[in-house]
Each structure stands twice: as C-alpha cells, then as structure tokens.
Amino acid sequence: MILAAGRGERMRPLTDHTPKPLLRAGGKSLIAWHVERLRDAGFGEIVINHAWLGRMIESALGDGTALGVRITYSPESEALETAGGIAHALPLLGGDPFLVVNGDIHCDYDLARACSAARRIAAGAMDAWLVLVSNPSHHAAGDFTLSAGWVGDAAGARLTFSGIGIYSPALFTGVAPGTRARLAPLLRAAMAARRVGGEFFDGRWTDVGTPQRLQELDAELLRRTGYGLQSSS
C-alpha cells in the first residue's frame, strides 16, 4: 500500500492544485518512483489511498497496467490519518501481512527485503516491522529505539521511522473503517508487548516534506540520473 491521502500543507503552494504524490523530482512523480520500485521488488498488486485531489492520482496512474502492476484505489472523503487510512483499505489488502510505504518519501531501500519480515509476521512472531533511518536535521529527536532487532519506545538513542513498514491486519482491528486514527499509538502498544521488529537502513532516504527538500531531491536525482524537475517521464 502507498499512502497518498495527505493534503501536503507544508508543500503549499505547490499542492494547491497538485496532490503531493504527483509532485515531480528526477523526471517523474514521487508516487511513480514508488510504483516502479515496488514492481522491481516483485510486488504486483498495489493499493493507493487518496483524498485531496485524489482523482488526479487515478488519472495519472490508471489501473497500473502501463507500469506493470495492478493498482486498486481506496478513496477517502477526508484524510483519515495513517492507521485510519490503512484500516479503511483492509478489505482491499486481504488477510496476509502487507507492506506500506509513505507516498512523500524517496528511498533506495530494497523493498524485496520486506518478504522475510512478512513471513515472520505471518508466523505470529510479531505484529509489525519497521525500517528506521538516521535522524534528519528537521527531526533530530527521532521516533523509536532499536535493539537486537526489536523496535521500542523506552529511553535511549532514537532513530527515525522511515515510513516503510510491514503490518499484520490484526494490528488495525480496533480501528473502525472510516474513522481517523494515528499509527503511532498502535505501534507503541505493540512495542510494549515486544511485538514490533525492525532494521536500520543507512542508505539514501528523504522525507520530501517541503518545497526546499523537493528541490534538493530533484538536484540529487539530476546528478544521478540526468533528469530534472522539469523533465518529462
């Protein structure tokens, strides 16, 4: 699942007329980067939620055929936060563990690594598995601790949640479909029961939360790929 329902207030005015996942860097939209990386990692079925200007996302990506995947959409009349959006989409996600990626990040993490963690969740070893990264300057305090493969919320050196996670559907059973709910409280409750695993990723990761970070990402991708913000796909 790709989370794409946010309004993108910090990205205004860019997001006044364009949903944040369709903002472009390196010659293609942020969400197109995700779809292609998921496809290349072996994921053939993708669910995308949307709210603000969501029909533009559907028009841009269609059913995914052109990108080599099958895309199903989970529209929300208003953004339901992360846990609320996932709970709303559960009928489309099925009963097995699933991968979720924030639509407003750009990351070189090998998404195929998610499969082994999904098998552990399916076997009942844990309820969630998170990818953590070094704390960026705009989030220096971090989010969670990581020790011996387990993610926690106790005192100690913290890392930042990357926005990439694998979850058991059971984690969201207490969230009524169509209601707003944040993910962090669900994760912290699972952490208290030692039910959240994770790993540290030290590669390229960007939280594309402001116009400046979008420009910086575009410049980086321009150097790496030869395409820029104004290029066509």
Side-chain angles (χ1 to χ4, degrees):
M1 180 175 184
I2 301 175
L3 299 173
R7 171 66 173 82
E9 291 290 345
R10 292 177 300 166
M11 276 290 193
R12 297 183 69 183
L14 298 180
T15 53
D16 285 344
H17 304 289
T18 303
K20 184 161 61 169
L22 290 185
L23 295 178
R24 298 168 68 82
K28 65 188 73 173
S29 66
L30 296 175
I31 200 166
W33 282 105
H34 284 313
V35 172
E36 292 178 3
R37 291 186 64 82
L38 286 164
R39 177 200 63 205
D40 293 346
F43 292 89
E45 298 184 19
I46 300 172
V47 174
I48 299 174
N49 72 332
H50 63 67
W52 172 251
L53 301 177
R55 296 301 177 187
M56 293 180 65
I57 297 175
E58 294 195 24
S59 296
L61 300 180
D63 64 2
T65 300
L67 293 168
V69 297
R70 186 175 73 178
I71 297 175
T72 306
Y73 295 95
S74 179
E76 303 167 13
S77 57
E78 62 175 359
L80 298 175
E81 301 279 2
T82 301
I86 294 172
H88 187 65
L90 282 180
L92 303 175
L93 292 166
D96 295 324
F98 49 84
L99 171 68
V100 177
V101 181
N102 284 6
D104 57 358
I105 65 168
H106 186 87
C107 186
D108 288 348
Y109 178 77
D110 180 6
L111 296 170
R113 292 176 58 84
C115 296
S116 61
R119 287 191 289 268
R120 292 178 61 193
I121 294 175
M126 54 190 176
D127 296 322
W129 184 88
L130 312 178
V131 178
L132 304 179
V133 297
S134 297
N135 301 329
S137 58
H138 58 271
H139 190 60
D143 297 307
F144 307 119
T145 59
L146 179 65
S147 177
W150 293 101
V151 180
D153 194 36
R158 290 175 177 260
L159 297 167
T160 292
F161 174 41
S162 68
I164 301 171
I166 305 169
Y167 308 107
S168 165
L171 187 67
F172 304 92
T173 54
V175 181
T179 61
R180 294 171 61 89
R182 298 178 60 203
L183 178 61
L186 302 183
L187 289 176
R188 290 191 171 99
M191 288 173 194
R194 198 176 172 84
R195 299 285 298 170
V196 180
E199 72 169 87
F200 172 68
F201 173 66
D202 62 357
R204 291 186 178 92
W205 175 86
T206 302
D207 169 14
V208 195
T210 65
Q212 179 182 350
R213 286 183 229 153
L214 180 67
Q215 292 175 353
E216 291 170 353
L217 174 63
D218 180 64
E220 177 187 352
L221 293 174
L222 174 61
R223 291 191 297 269
R224 290 166 55 189
T225 68
Y227 291 94
L229 191 64
Q230 302 302 321
S231 303
S232 59
S233 302

